[in-house]
Amino acid sequence: MERRVVITSCAAITPIGRTKDEIIHHLINGVSGVKPLRDDGLLTQHMHSRVFGTVDYPIEYDFKRQFKKTMGPVSYYACQVAKEVLENSGLTQDFISSGKLGVAFGSTHGSPTSQREIYRCFFSESNAKLSSIGAVDYLKSMVHTTAANITKMFSIKGRVISSSTACTTSSQSIGFGYEMVKYGLQDAMLCGGADEYDTTTVAVFDNLLACSTRYNQTPHLTPRPFDVQRDGLVVGEGAGAILLEDYTMAKKRGATILAEIIGFSCNNNGGDLILPSLDGISETMRLGLENAKISPDAVDCISAHATSTKIGDVIEAQAIDRVYGNHPVVVGLKSYTGHTMGSCGAIETIIQLYMMEKGFIPKTLNLDKIDERCAMIQHATQVMEKDIRISSVQNFAFGGVNTCLIFKKHQ
Amino acid sequence: MTREEIKSAILNMFKEIFEIDNPGLDDNLREMYQFDSIDAIELIREIERLVGSELNLEEKDQAMGIRTINQIIMYVESLFEARSIRVN
């Protein structure tokens, strides 16, 4: 059995806002969400990169105590977007708790803020004991803390998938959720990802010389996907969630259909854990098209992974050229948000939904002069009106994991 | 500590840490405030701070059967007594 799978609700917390209107405003007007890196009093002073895709607006949470006690910052983000998705979905609590709704949600490494609290007692000169580790510290920090807290807060009793594959975390969530519904294992899936602010994440990339460092005084000018002056990625924070459901069920209950997912692929480079692979990511794109049963010409717009690393962008452009040629318009949405890590696939999917609905493609921010090695594909150098019928979101992660999601506008 | 001081410390603990304001002394904490096993573990940690020493496994097991504020107060009193600290 293969069922059609549609998206019927979405919500995001991003460095360029939370609501559809806020996010579209930033995209249309070319406003970046990259700001100076917040000081954690620990590592920031040692780092070369001092920029961050920042969620700096207040979020009023109204979670009850029995939920908050097992939540680190990453779960606050995750539960907030999950709450908005479910509230807007029109699903009944009976269905939500029926076992027919599952959760696919992850983060890069749980809650590093909570992990830091655990380890503090080992390195502190204070009178640390075993009891210095709180009963809930593991629940706050564990890799599947976002998914687990979502299931608890909303009494969700279906399957739980919690991928933690760095930059492909939430695109895997969406892809694996899609397969759950497509093959009839669940009728609906709440999918997404989240990552909280933490400088250890920045430090990982800083140590690998992958972070942007030349724009510390002008954060809005970085990252610069495909630009000749790009100098690395900018880590960010945020969350995104979408609701996937069986098309027949969505139609029957009169749900608003935002788009259909028609394809997903995921593979691994089978080699280097850091460097992207031209063959690996080209194959992901090819497999995605095969899964969607469409030709490359059918894709109008690609949301590229485009982190702005010196090598990564070149290889991605080569792969797009190899698979698609210069037909689809390619946009690098991280130029607005920075690299929101485990949430980037979900956030970029949600932005794609807004682009489809409104019929536009934003320009890739800071793409002032295209690197000639990336110039063979069609870049979004200015905001344009465009009827996007089919779009693709592609993400590639440390560990060699690649994903490609393909969406179709609902007519 | 006196019984009143223990009571005050416990009620303050419930207000500040568990966000439960002025529970009845004989209220069933699980039924009325969703005070669950995770909270009980947190409570043990706070009680260790209050009595100034770690609890042994037997003492911790005893704590898991507690359901009311009055039971907590009696439990803490017994811990002080076991540590030869005079309760007035």
Side-chain angles (χ1 to χ4, degrees), chain A residues 49 87 199 207 258-259 275 315 320 340 343 353 375 394:
Chain A
S49 182
E87 283 176 353
T199 45
N207 271 336
L258 305 176
L275 291 177
I315 290 178
I320 291 170
T340 57
S343 63
L353 295 176
Q394 49 197 42

Side-chain angles (χ1 to χ4, degrees), chain A residues 289 294-301 323-328 389-390:
Chain A
L289 292 167
I294 58 171
S295 69
D297 290 346
V299 176
D300 298 309
C301 177
V323 176
Y324 290 95
N326 68 352
H327 164 68
R389 293 157 300 173
I390 294 180

Side-chain angles (χ1 to χ4, degrees), chain A residues 177-190:
Chain A
Y178 160 71
E179 291 174 342
M180 285 292 110
V181 179
K182 180 178 181 178
Y183 296 114
L185 300 171
Q186 298 276 251
D187 287 341
M189 289 291 292
L190 176 58

Side-chain angles (χ1 to χ4, degrees), chain A residues 241-258:
Chain A
I242 65 173
L243 180 69
L244 306 184
E245 60 181 287
D246 166 36
Y247 171 74
T248 306
M249 172 182 140
K251 288 293 283 183
K252 191 174 176 182
R253 72 184 189 89
T256 302
I257 295 174
L258 305 176

Side-chain angles (χ1 to χ4, degrees), chain A residues 75 77 105 302:
Chain A
S75 292
Y77 278 175
F105 217 100
I302 295 175

Side-chain angles (χ1 to χ4, degrees), chain B residues 58-74:
Chain B
E58 191 181 339
E59 290 170 330
K60 288 179 179 176
D61 280 345
Q62 288 169 11
M64 299 311 283
I66 289 173
R67 292 288 177 270
T68 69
I69 296 291
N70 264 335
Q71 289 173 345
I72 296 170
I73 293 168
M74 285 189 285

